[in-house]
Amino acid sequence: MQSSVLRIMPCLDMHHGRVVKGVHFVNLRDAGDPVACAQAYCQAGADELALLDITATVENRPTMLEVVRRVAEVTRVPFTVGGGITDVASAAAVLEAGADKVSVSSAAFRRPELISELIDQFGPERVTVAIDVDHNPQMPSGYEVYIDGGRTATGVDALQWAKRVNDYGVRVILPTSKAADGAQTGYDLPLIRLLRAHTQAEIVASGGAGRLEHFLQAAQAGATILLAASVFHFGLIKIPELKAYLRSHGLPVR
């Protein structure tokens, strides 16, 4: 499934209707209004956009559809929404509100048949499976799956789960390393390489971007969608600058 052209994907982590960004999934700080952020990213040349309602699962509530609608109105690129999607009906509501794709994580882990239900209903191109992981040397791959926004350890090896997700025909897998999230010290490159080598899905690099070279390293490790939040939200890296940098290293960028 490897696509030859890299895509840049700003991620809007949502908490009570505001964009926030944390470190290692905690210590959230405000990063602005989602509609204004989405507009600015589209104008800056983002190729895709993600909106994750990061506390919907833990608070046991559906995604904030009104926020999805408002963001969809100003978004001109493929738009993925995750958080609080637990079944076909909640996924349909998010897509009807204007999302192009849905992302599922905890609900898919708890009931894996949800993945095939979503693919049967909406098509594989509209379903992303997100996998939050943390280092665990006891696991065969060295990584353990976490659910509930990174709060709950599952005892399941991340590579085994990713292979199972891949077998359902999912086209995009979005792994986030809890250790790297928000730390701006670089993506978890071994994790990207591992999933790239053992699945046919496209791999999203997520969690840890802090400098231009981090994006380059992720692409060289096999990621084709480069997701980031903090560096974009707080103006540390501009999307046109990032694309020019990647092109200067011979990488095809949309």
Side-chain angles (χ1 to χ4, degrees), residues 12 15 23 27 35 46 48 63-64 67 93 122 127 203 224 227 244:
L12 308 176
H15 182 60
V23 179
N27 300 326
V35 177
E48 302 206 17
T63 313
M64 292 184 171
V67 176
F122 307 114
V127 180
I203 305 302
T224 48
L227 179 151

Side-chain angles (χ1 to χ4, degrees), residues 37-120:
C37 288
Q39 257 178 322
Y41 288 139
C42 288
Q43 288 165 359
D47 302 305
E48 302 206 17
L49 196 63
L51 185 151
L52 302 178
D53 193 337
I54 57 173
T55 52
T57 298
V58 203
E59 293 171 1
N60 196 25
R61 60 169 174 76
T63 313
M64 292 184 171
L65 295 176
E66 186 50 41
V67 176
V68 175
R69 278 189 205 98
R70 288 169 47 225
V71 171
E73 282 172 7
V74 301
T75 300
R76 302 289 171 261
V77 296
F79 173 39
T80 300
V81 172
I85 296 168
T86 55
D87 52 22
V88 168
S90 52
V94 164
L95 294 169
E96 283 162 16
D100 299 291
K101 309 175 190 183
V102 294
S103 175
V104 288
S105 179
S106 301
F109 182 86
R110 287 193 168 98
R111 197 172 68 81
E113 53 272 25
L114 172 63
I115 301 171
S116 51
E117 291 168 8
L118 293 173
I119 286 175
D120 289 346

